[in-house]
Amino acid sequence: VVGRPDPSVPPSGVSCSGCGAELQCRDDTAPGFVPSEKYRSMSEGPSGAAGLRATVCQRCWLLSHHGRALRLELPPEQHRLVVSAALRRPPRHGRGPLLLYVLDVLELPDPVLPQLPALLSPDVPAGGVLVVGNKVDLLPADSPRHLKRLRERTGFGLEGLVSRLQRSWRCAGDVYLLGATNSGKSTLFNTLLRSDYCKSRAPDVVDRATVSSWPGTTLNLLKFPIINPTCDRIFRRQERLKEEALKTEDQLSSEERKYLNHLKKQGYLVGRVGRTFQRPRPSAVVDFDPDELSYSMDEDPKHNPGKPEQREEFTDNEVKDARWCFDTPGIIKENCV
């Protein structure tokens, strides 16, 4: 652990954008720890604790940038409590939650799926259950260089999943990604965040979840707002999918063709995820001070630091009636290698 804790500073009330733990600098052995030096530099500005938004805890930083995992473990029952409390909330929009269960096809029969009914409340009926088989490209594991395949992601079948989720809009409320640890929930969450399932402005506001090979990376709920699949949006999405389906390999870039040929040789199921609805990017505007362009021969030009980048936030109107897609902590698998 780098940096010092400061027990005198209260918790922030702001969640880590990578794992969902509450950011704090009081205890370097607890979830959400940020070194006190960085914590104060981020939270003592005019925004207060809100300046910590988009900050990741030290654990997520080490996982993402150095492949190191701190010895931070939560009791298995703690993960179940977080998931169960979320699923037992009163239904929003008059509809129960849609459960998107991510199943690792390398571990069948699944050790967690039979436990799903115990996490639900009889007073909150589910709006449906979708089971997604993940890691199909890792079967079988007897092909050449199969260990390298563990590091590849192809996105096969995900556009079909997005279409299926959009058809569930009328019969379900919020969506929860459920499953055992290391089943691929956070990877799927990040992919859906940059697909037609998510509001077009959300990728500029919501940060990607931390993904690692260590079990139990996600410690609390992460979320993004779901776009309303109106008839116009569905039509435009179908037109984009038709155009992409008619593309030939000659129309791909050299990098895309190279990657596609690599996947074919390794026997992958190939797929990609695109976006139909994207925000127009503002044109770059050069901001300069005319007085900086003229100075005498015995003066040195002074550096004029730019304005700090303003982080985008959702407006009240954007989220007051929104439906959300939640990433949840993985349920610890027992009696598994």
Side-chain angles (χ1 to χ4, degrees), residues 11 37 52 67 82 92 116 121 127 146 192 225 244 282 296 313-314 337:
E37 299 85 353
L52 289 166
V82 172
R92 301 172 66 244
L116 193 57
S121 169
H146 67 271
L192 293 177
E244 293 188 352
S296 63
E313 300 289 346
F314 288 122
V337 176

Coordinates of all heavy atoms in Angstrom, one line a residue, residues 11 37 52 67 82 92 116 121 127 146 192 225 244 282 296 313-314 337:
P11 N -15.8 9.2 6.2 CA -16.1 8.6 4.8 C -16.7 9.7 3.9 O -17.4 10.6 4.4 CB -17.0 7.4 5.1 CG -16.7 7.1 6.5 CD -16.4 8.4 7.2
E37 N -3.3 11.8 1.1 CA -2.8 12.9 0.4 C -3.6 13.2 -0.8 O -4.0 14.3 -1.1 CB -1.3 12.6 0.0 CG -0.4 12.4 1.1 CD -0.3 11.0 1.6 OE1 -1.1 10.2 1.2 OE2 0.5 10.7 2.5
L52 N -14.4 13.8 -5.7 CA -13.9 12.5 -5.7 C -14.6 11.6 -6.8 O -14.2 10.5 -7.0 CB -14.1 11.8 -4.3 CG -13.2 12.3 -3.2 CD1 -13.7 11.9 -1.9 CD2 -11.8 11.9 -3.4
G67 N -1.7 -5.1 -12.2 CA -2.1 -6.5 -12.1 C -1.8 -7.0 -10.7 O -1.6 -8.2 -10.5
V82 N -25.5 -7.7 -0.2 CA -25.6 -6.6 -1.1 C -26.6 -6.9 -2.2 O -27.4 -6.1 -2.6 CB -24.2 -6.3 -1.6 CG1 -24.3 -5.2 -2.7 CG2 -23.3 -5.8 -0.5
R92 N -39.8 -0.4 -9.1 CA -40.0 0.9 -9.7 C -40.7 0.7 -11.0 O -40.7 -0.3 -11.7 CB -38.6 1.5 -9.9 CG -37.8 1.7 -8.6 CD -36.4 2.1 -8.9 NE -36.3 3.5 -9.4 CZ -35.9 3.8 -10.7 NH1 -35.5 2.8 -11.4 NH2 -35.9 5.0 -11.1
L116 N -30.5 -18.6 -6.6 CA -31.1 -17.4 -7.0 C -32.5 -17.1 -6.3 O -32.7 -16.0 -5.8 CB -31.3 -17.3 -8.5 CG -31.6 -16.0 -9.1 CD1 -30.6 -14.9 -8.8 CD2 -31.7 -16.1 -10.6
S121 N -37.4 -11.6 -3.0 CA -38.4 -11.4 -2.0 C -39.7 -11.9 -2.6 O -40.0 -11.6 -3.8 CB -38.5 -10.0 -1.6 OG -39.7 -9.7 -0.8
G127 N -39.3 -9.4 -12.9 CA -39.8 -9.1 -14.2 C -39.4 -10.1 -15.3 O -39.7 -9.9 -16.5
H146 N -4.1 -22.2 -26.7 CA -5.4 -21.9 -26.0 C -5.3 -21.1 -24.8 O -6.3 -20.4 -24.5 CB -6.1 -23.3 -25.7 CG -5.4 -24.0 -24.6 ND1 -4.5 -24.9 -24.8 CD2 -5.6 -24.0 -23.2 CE1 -4.1 -25.4 -23.6 NE2 -4.7 -24.9 -22.7
L192 N -22.1 -3.3 -22.5 CA -23.4 -2.7 -22.6 C -23.4 -1.2 -22.4 O -24.2 -0.5 -23.0 CB -24.3 -3.3 -21.5 CG -24.7 -4.8 -21.7 CD1 -25.5 -5.3 -20.6 CD2 -25.4 -5.1 -23.1
P225 N -27.7 4.4 -16.9 CA -29.1 4.5 -17.3 C -29.4 3.8 -18.6 O -28.6 3.9 -19.6 CB -29.3 6.0 -17.4 CG -28.0 6.6 -17.7 CD -27.0 5.6 -17.0
E244 N -24.1 -3.2 -41.5 CA -22.9 -3.9 -41.0 C -22.9 -5.4 -41.4 O -21.9 -5.9 -41.7 CB -22.8 -3.8 -39.5 CG -22.5 -2.4 -39.0 CD -22.2 -2.3 -37.6 OE1 -22.3 -3.3 -36.9 OE2 -21.9 -1.2 -37.1
P282 N -18.4 18.3 -30.0 CA -18.2 19.7 -30.3 C -16.9 20.0 -31.0 O -15.9 19.3 -30.8 CB -18.2 20.4 -28.9 CG -17.8 19.3 -28.0 CD -18.3 18.0 -28.6
S296 N 7.9 41.8 -24.3 CA 9.2 42.5 -24.7 C 10.3 41.5 -24.8 O 10.2 40.4 -24.3 CB 9.5 43.6 -23.7 OG 9.7 43.0 -22.4
E313 N -22.1 15.6 -15.7 CA -23.0 15.0 -14.7 C -24.4 14.9 -15.4 O -24.7 15.7 -16.3 CB -23.1 15.8 -13.4 CG -21.7 15.9 -12.7 CD -21.2 14.6 -12.1 OE1 -22.0 13.7 -12.0 OE2 -20.1 14.6 -11.7
F314 N -25.2 13.9 -14.9 CA -26.5 13.8 -15.4 C -27.4 15.0 -14.7 O -27.2 15.4 -13.6 CB -27.1 12.5 -14.9 CG -26.6 11.3 -15.7 CD1 -26.0 10.3 -15.0 CD2 -26.7 11.2 -17.1 CE1 -25.5 9.2 -15.7 CE2 -26.2 10.2 -17.8 CZ -25.6 9.1 -17.1
V337 N -12.7 -25.3 -7.9 CA -11.2 -25.2 -7.9 C -10.9 -23.7 -8.2 O -11.5 -23.1 -9.1 CB -10.6 -26.0 -9.1 CG1 -9.1 -25.7 -9.2 CG2 -10.9 -27.5 -8.9

